[in-house]
Every structure is written in C-alpha cells, then in structure tokens.
Amino acid sequence: TSTIFFSTGSGPWLPVSSGGGGGNSDIFGGQLTGVLAVPNTTETSVTPYTLLAPALYGVFAGGVYTASLDQKITFAITISWAPGFAGGSRYLRIYSNGVLVAQDITDPDTSGVNPTTHQSNISLTLNSGDNVEARVYQDSGAGLTILSGVSTTMSSSVVLL
C-alpha cells in the first residue's frame, strides 16, 4: 500500500483521503500582538491577533476565523486583563456565525496587583464559510486593557471532515 500526500505549498504535507478529509488534522496558534483597550460596557473583538492558521483550514482576519473547509475545531483561549482596577466583572465571549456559543465571566483580582485571567476551551463543527470570533466585555466603570504577547493566546486543533 501507498499513501498519497498533498501540500498547499506553505503548510505541512497531509495525507489525501476519499471524501475530502477523513482525519487530516493539524494544530496552530497565535497571540495578541498589541495591547487591546476595552471601553466600559462595550463588547470588543480580540484584535490585533496573529493566528498562524494554514490557509488550507481557514483565514483569520479582523479577529474572525473563517473556515475554508468543513472541520471540527477546538479553540483554547487565554485572555489576561491588566491589573490595577478591581471593580466590575470581566467577560470572555465566543461567537460562531454571530451566535454566542460560550461565555466565561470572572471577577477581577481584588489586590489590583495581579492580572485577571480567563481560560476557555470550545470545540465546534464548522462548515466551509462558518466563522468564530472571541470578544471581551467589562463593566468596571472605566476603560481597561488586555495584555498582549504570551499573556493573551489562542491555540487550535483542527480535523477535516
């Protein structure tokens, strides 16, 4: 027996299977590339974000991941709010095709010294053209910021259907 592989030219070589998928899988990730200002009581998309998704699976632009192929995808998201303000609550919301599918609500670190961190995982089955977006919200009474770099990350694993 032999296995036939394919590549998009910029990603890994993947085994070809009948039915256009059948278990082809990959992992990828990224991080927030700049500090994100989040106004009081204003839902805000988590951008600018660099997600290193091979174009074979999807496109990540403007804070939205859009599937290029039918797939099951798991997102692991960590958001870190800058320390210094202890009022209100912090929200991490995940939307798929504009519909809220997951939400994590946490109270801030009361010391004002440590960041307030969310960690959320979600698995979704996406059809080609479906999208996923992470948004944040806070009701502290003042503008807050999300820390960039390794403090705010997203990693994903994808299996083509």
Side-chain angles (χ1 to χ4, degrees), residues 34-107:
V35 174
L36 176 64
V38 182
N40 186 52
T41 66
T42 302
E43 191 171 62
T44 306
S45 182
V46 180
T47 60
Y49 215 97
T50 300
L51 185 63
L52 306 175
L56 168 70
Y57 305 112
V59 175
F60 191 76
V64 178
Y65 173 82
T66 302
S68 297
L69 299 169
D70 295 351
Q71 59 193 263
K72 179 166 183 148
I73 191 162
T74 300
F75 288 99
I77 302 169
T78 301
I79 300 287
S80 292
W81 296 85
F85 195 84
S89 294
R90 315 293 186 262
Y91 301 73
L92 169 59
R93 295 173 174 163
I94 315 264
Y95 289 84
S96 181
N97 297 321
V99 176
L100 182 65
V101 293
Q103 177 172 251
D104 180 62
I105 304 170
T106 189
D107 292 327

Side-chain angles (χ1 to χ4, degrees), residues 4 12 16 20 25 45 53 69 77-78 99 112 115-116 131 136 138 144 149 152:
I4 300 171
V16 174
S25 62
S45 182
L69 299 169
I77 302 169
T78 301
V99 176
T116 299
N131 61 64
V136 289
Q138 57 89 10
L144 300 177
T152 298

